[in-house]
């Protein structure tokens, strides 16, 4: 009996390390045999990974011992492809970086579709909430099924169709929230201490319309909630429409804007900053600096106010930080989210991908943003009863009213 228990313990121990075994074997194959190219945030140039082959060989040799244990002892069917994918995902999760993740071939198709600004789903932006290890709703998209159902910024997604997810599972949860147009998805939401169930019908979502209007006859107002393909061009078009209406100042509302494509934020900064101005420093793991500068003469030469809140993140902080440091805009609202790192989306030949944190960004004054955020020039809180509202009456929007006052 004791012998059998010992054997069971050995099997259990072998099972616990199976993921590590297959993981490194897969990593070895992947890194030594493929080329990755960057798609998402910066350039389209191909990138190659180099590694220490002797170290890799040592790892592969060591792991082959554990593979033999699996083959000898494991009871049950083994799906090698599934184990490899699970192992590689776990490898990146072990970095303990909320923004770095492995993306399967199936999930990658949806991920790339999102950056083009349209998909079928319920229309929410999500982030990983490190304090709770839950998936946090950054903001629902305007006029989306999520907004109409009553989902609010700050809601925590606990489960999708009865399956619970943590922050580490955000990509999987996101893809399960999406689905066929006309079908429905059930979300379990935690709002403060209140648990709420939503059943939301999926629709084709047009992401991130750039909206604008004229306030009080001579103040322009532009709002958008992420930086996707063509956001900068849409912003320029909207500004030119407002300019024809004789606006004398501009308010850019970046509240609940979770970021997106860095180049789109830099293009908008280029519309406002003087030619040759430093917009951004990018620093890699070897402390190499890349400097992004404005390449054109500004087309917006009027006072600019930027509205921010705790959900203003990533590329939004790049835009706000650059214009603040350059003296081209004043910031009104509350401190921003504090995501000051840049990810590259690397696509593998088999269709899967890796989104990996590769650089930290600093504002033109070399101010660090990551896990700190940007402080506004004028700190203004919303009334408590308005903080979780998506649509706030202008007269109740204390942040907007302050921006209007400063724009006159």
């Amino acid at each position: 009996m004791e012998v059998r228990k010992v054997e069971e313990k050995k099997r259990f121990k072998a099972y616990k390390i199976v993921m590590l075994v297959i993981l490194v074997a897969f990593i070895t194959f992947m890194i030594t045999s493929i080329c990755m190219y960057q798609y998402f945030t910066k350039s389209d140039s191909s990138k190659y990974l180099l590694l220490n082959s002797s170290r890799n060989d040592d790892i592969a040799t060591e792991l082959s011992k554990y593979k033999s244990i699996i083959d000898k002892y494991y009871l049950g069917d083994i799906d090698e492809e599934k184990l490899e994918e699970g192992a590689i995902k776990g490898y990146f999760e072990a970095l303990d970086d909320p923004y770095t993740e492995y993306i399967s071939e199936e999930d990658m198709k949806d991920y790339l579709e999102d950056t083009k600004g349209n998909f079928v789903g319920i229309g929410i932006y999500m982030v990983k909430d490190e304090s709770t290890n839950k998936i946090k709703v950054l903001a629902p998209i305007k006029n989306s099924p999520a907004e109409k159902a009553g989902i609010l910024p700050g809601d925590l997604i606990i489960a999708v169709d009865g399956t619970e997810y943590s922050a580490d599972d955000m990509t999987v949860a996101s893809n399960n929230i999406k689905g066929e147009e006309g079908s429905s998805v059930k979300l379990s939401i935690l709002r403060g201490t209140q648990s709420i169930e939503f059943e939301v019908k999926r629709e084709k979502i047009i992401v991130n319309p750039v909206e604008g209007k004229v306030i009080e006859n001579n103040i322009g107002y532009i709002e958008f909630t992420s930086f996707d393909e063509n956001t900068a061009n849409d912003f320029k078009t909207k500004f030119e429409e407002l300019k024809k209406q004789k606006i004398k100042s501009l308010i850019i509302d970046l509240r609940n804007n979770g970021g997106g494509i860095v180049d789109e934020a830099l293009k908008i900064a280029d519309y406002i900053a003087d030619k040759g101005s430093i917009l951004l420093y990018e620093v890699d793991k070897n402390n190499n600096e890349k400097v992004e500068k404005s390449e054109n003469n500004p087309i917006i030469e009027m006072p600019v106010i930027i509205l921010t809140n705790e959900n203003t993140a990533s590329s939004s902080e790049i835009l706000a930080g650059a214009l603040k440091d350059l003296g081209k805009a004043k910031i009104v609202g509350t401190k921003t989210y504090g995501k000051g790192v840049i990810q590259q989306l690397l696509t593998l030949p088999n269709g899967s991908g890796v989104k990996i944190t590769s650089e930290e960004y600093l504002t033109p004054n070399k101010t660090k943003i990551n896990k700190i955020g940007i402080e506004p020039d004028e700190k203004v809180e919303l009334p408590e009863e308005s903080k979780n509202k998506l649509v706030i009456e202008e007269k109740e929007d204390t942040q907007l009213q302050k921006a209007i006052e400063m724009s006159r």
Side-chain angles (χ1 to χ4, degrees):
M1 192 67 175
E2 285 298 319
V3 173
R4 182 166 181 173
K5 288 182 178 179
V6 170
E7 287 297 321
E8 288 176 350
K9 289 181 179 179
K10 287 181 178 179
R11 291 182 187 181
F12 181 68
K13 185 176 181 181
Y15 183 76
K16 286 176 66 177
I17 60 176
V18 60
M19 294 300 283
L20 177 63
V21 174
I22 297 173
L23 164 64
V24 179
F26 183 68
I27 286 287
T28 302
F29 166 77
M30 179 184 74
I31 297 179
T32 55
S33 64
I34 64 177
C35 157
M36 293 178 164
Y37 68 86
Q38 176 183 355
Y39 174 85
F40 186 57
T41 54
K42 297 308 299 172
S43 69
D44 292 324
S45 59
S46 296
K47 292 182 179 285
Y48 295 82
L49 284 176
L50 303 176
L51 70 159
N52 186 316
S53 60
S54 62
R55 172 60 179 158
N56 238 26
D57 292 341
D58 290 344
I59 295 173
T61 301
E62 185 68 20
L63 289 176
S64 66
K65 300 176 184 177
Y66 297 109
K67 182 64 167 67
S68 66
I69 294 174
I70 298 169
D71 294 337
K72 184 175 181 180
Y73 293 106
Y74 179 68
L75 177 65
D77 296 330
I78 299 175
D79 186 333
E80 297 285 354
E81 185 176 338
K82 185 176 181 180
L83 286 175
E84 287 177 356
E85 188 165 280
I88 188 69
K89 179 181 178 182
Y91 189 79
F92 283 98
E93 286 180 354
L95 294 173
D96 200 25
D97 175 10
Y99 310 117
T100 293
E101 61 182 320
Y102 169 76
I103 306 170
S104 69
E105 179 182 1
E106 181 181 358
D107 293 338
M108 190 69 167
K109 293 175 183 177
D110 291 328
Y111 202 97
L112 294 177
E113 189 68 22
D114 287 357
T115 68
K116 296 176 182 178
N118 60 83
F119 60 90
V120 174
I122 65 171
I124 52 174
Y125 296 111
M126 304 183 300
V127 294
K128 297 179 180 181
D129 186 54
E130 294 184 66
S131 63
T132 62
N133 195 33
K134 299 295 183 185
I135 300 168
K136 177 182 176 182
V137 176
L138 192 64
I141 295 170
K142 280 195 171 183
N143 300 316
S144 68
E147 182 191 35
K148 294 171 184 176
I151 294 174
L152 300 175
D155 284 350
L156 298 178
I157 298 175
I158 306 302
V160 179
D161 283 334
T163 301
E164 294 187 3
Y165 294 99
S166 69
D168 294 333
D169 305 315
M170 189 171 76
T171 297
V172 177
S174 174
N175 287 315
N176 287 332
I177 290 172
K178 299 170 190 173
E180 293 184 6
E181 188 171 4
S183 62
S184 296
V185 61
K186 294 181 180 179
L187 297 184
S188 299
I189 295 290
L190 183 64
R191 182 178 297 166
T193 58
Q194 182 184 12
S195 296
I196 310 172
E197 299 292 326
F198 290 92
E199 184 167 351
V200 189
K201 188 176 181 180
R202 298 180 177 103
E203 297 178 6
K204 186 173 182 180
I205 306 298
I206 305 301
V207 178
N208 190 33
V210 177
E211 299 180 334
K213 60 183 178 181
V214 177
I215 301 173
E216 295 191 1
N217 299 322
N218 62 359
I219 301 173
Y221 172 90
I222 295 179
E223 177 189 21
F224 51 101
T225 52
S226 70
F227 292 82
D228 304 309
E229 287 185 354
N230 300 316
T231 294
N233 286 336
D234 292 344
F235 177 93
K236 181 180 179 182
T237 298
K238 186 61 62 176
F239 170 75
E240 289 172 344
E241 291 175 5
L242 297 177
K243 188 177 180 181
K244 290 178 182 177
Q245 299 179 57
K246 309 298 183 183
I247 62 170
K248 296 179 182 179
S249 58
L250 178 65
I251 296 171
I252 303 174
D253 195 342
L254 297 181
R255 292 176 295 182
N256 299 321
N257 186 314
I261 302 175
V262 172
D263 282 345
E264 296 297 307
L266 293 174
K267 287 177 184 176
I268 295 176
D270 200 329
Y271 297 152
I272 302 170
D274 294 330
K275 185 176 181 179
S277 298
I278 293 175
L279 303 177
L280 180 71
Y281 289 97
E282 300 167 18
V283 185
D284 67 15
K285 65 185 300 179
N286 298 313
N287 289 320
N288 296 316
E289 283 187 355
K290 181 180 179 182
V291 181
E292 297 284 354
K293 294 184 178 181
S294 179
E295 298 177 351
N296 303 288
N297 291 319
I299 63 171
I300 300 176
E301 298 181 285
M302 60 181 63
V304 175
I305 304 292
I306 295 177
L307 292 173
T308 65
N309 65 5
E310 64 278 6
N311 295 323
T312 300
S314 191
S315 296
S316 295
E317 293 173 290
I318 288 176
L319 176 59
L323 298 181
K324 179 183 180 182
D325 280 5
L326 295 172
K328 291 295 183 177
K330 294 290 185 182
I331 299 178
V332 173
T334 56
K335 187 170 71 171
T336 62
Y337 183 83
K339 182 182 181 292
V341 287
I342 296 173
Q343 286 71 47
Q344 295 181 33
L345 185 61
L346 305 171
T347 303
L348 311 184
N350 67 357
S352 63
V354 175
K355 181 163 73 79
I356 188 166
T357 298
S358 57
E359 297 159 307
E360 180 174 12
Y361 67 76
L362 306 175
T363 69
N365 289 346
K366 291 199 170 181
T367 301
K368 181 181 174 73
I369 300 301
N370 199 43
K371 297 183 178 180
I372 297 174
I374 298 174
E375 293 286 352
D377 296 290
E378 294 285 342
K379 184 176 180 179
V380 181
E381 297 277 359
L382 287 175
E384 196 64 36
E385 62 273 14
S386 301
K387 284 187 176 180
N388 285 326
K389 289 183 179 179
L390 281 177
V391 180
I392 307 173
E393 295 289 334
E394 282 189 16
K395 62 182 180 180
E396 298 175 2
D397 190 339
T398 51
Q399 295 168 339
L400 176 60
Q401 289 302 316
K402 183 64 176 180
I404 291 173
E405 176 188 324
M406 293 171 62
S407 299
R408 291 191 180 108

